Amino acid sequence: MSQNERSRLLDELSAVSRRYAAAYAPSHRAPADRLGLHPTDLRCLNLPALEREPVTPGRVAELTGLTTGSATRLVDRLEKAGHVVRERDAADRRRVLVATVPERTAEFGRMWERLGGDWTPLFDDLEDTELAVIVRRTVESGAEQAVRLREGRG
């Protein structure tokens, strides 16, 4: 592949990524409405749901990029809507943990499956190692971008 072709493809990837990000936010309105949530709350609900264990409200703030006060209000709204519960940490009763409600998480997952369908065929022609590189770089890039923006370097 020539340098010009590679440069053109990278420019196209940048444009596609920006279009995806722009389309991503509005695409959350209907599912959020269906679940009785604000679209931002719906996006934030994904993060604690992906953690293996219940998390502290402080960890919710870290995951979402919100201040601790905003994260607390987010947890309040998600709790009121029945998607999370607060529980005391068995090891340290002073500590509060936020746990997702399994039935609501399952409902959330089923809804995403119905909306998105099976998109895994998009990657059928990739080797497992290629797919692993995409996953790793996507996660790393997103995390790096968030840090850069928070630190005012973006």
Side-chain angles (χ1 to χ4, degrees):
M1 176 181 302
S2 74
Q3 187 61 30
N4 285 343
E5 178 66 9
R6 182 175 178 85
S7 180
R8 186 193 66 73
L9 284 172
L10 289 171
D11 287 345
E12 185 177 343
L13 178 59
S14 176
V16 166
S17 295
R18 289 171 46 210
R19 280 191 194 98
Y20 174 76
Y24 187 76
S27 72
H28 280 83
R29 170 58 64 192
D33 288 347
R34 178 176 237 157
L35 294 173
L37 297 172
H38 187 277
T40 301
D41 292 355
L42 177 68
R43 285 191 301 276
C44 290
L45 177 60
N46 262 325
L47 299 168
L50 293 171
E51 295 290 296
R52 295 188 197 289
E53 301 289 328
V55 296
T56 64
R59 178 69 177 143
V60 171
E62 290 173 18
L63 290 168
T64 59
L66 296 171
T67 65
T68 54
S70 292
T72 297
R73 289 188 296 279
L74 167 68
V75 171
D76 290 344
R77 291 189 303 272
L78 293 176
E79 186 175 41
K80 183 178 179 182
H83 291 277
V84 301
V85 293
R86 285 181 170 98
E87 50 191 41
R88 294 279 175 197
D89 186 341
D92 180 353
R93 300 286 299 155
R94 296 170 294 175
R95 208 170 124 186
V96 174
L97 298 174
V98 178
T100 55
V101 175
E103 298 81 14
R104 295 304 301 265
T105 301
E107 173 189 353
F108 182 62
R110 286 189 302 273
M111 182 191 61
W112 279 119
E113 287 172 13
R114 285 191 309 273
L115 290 173
D118 184 10
W119 55 276
T120 57
L122 293 172
F123 305 104
D124 281 348
D125 60 338
L126 297 180
E127 298 292 326
D128 291 349
T129 54
E130 293 172 311
L131 188 55
V133 167
I134 291 170
V135 170
R136 188 184 75 249
R137 288 184 181 172
T138 300
V139 171
E140 289 171 356
S141 175
E144 289 168 7
Q145 288 175 10
V147 168
R148 200 171 52 247
L149 290 170
R150 273 196 302 273
E151 292 176 352
R153 297 183 288 129

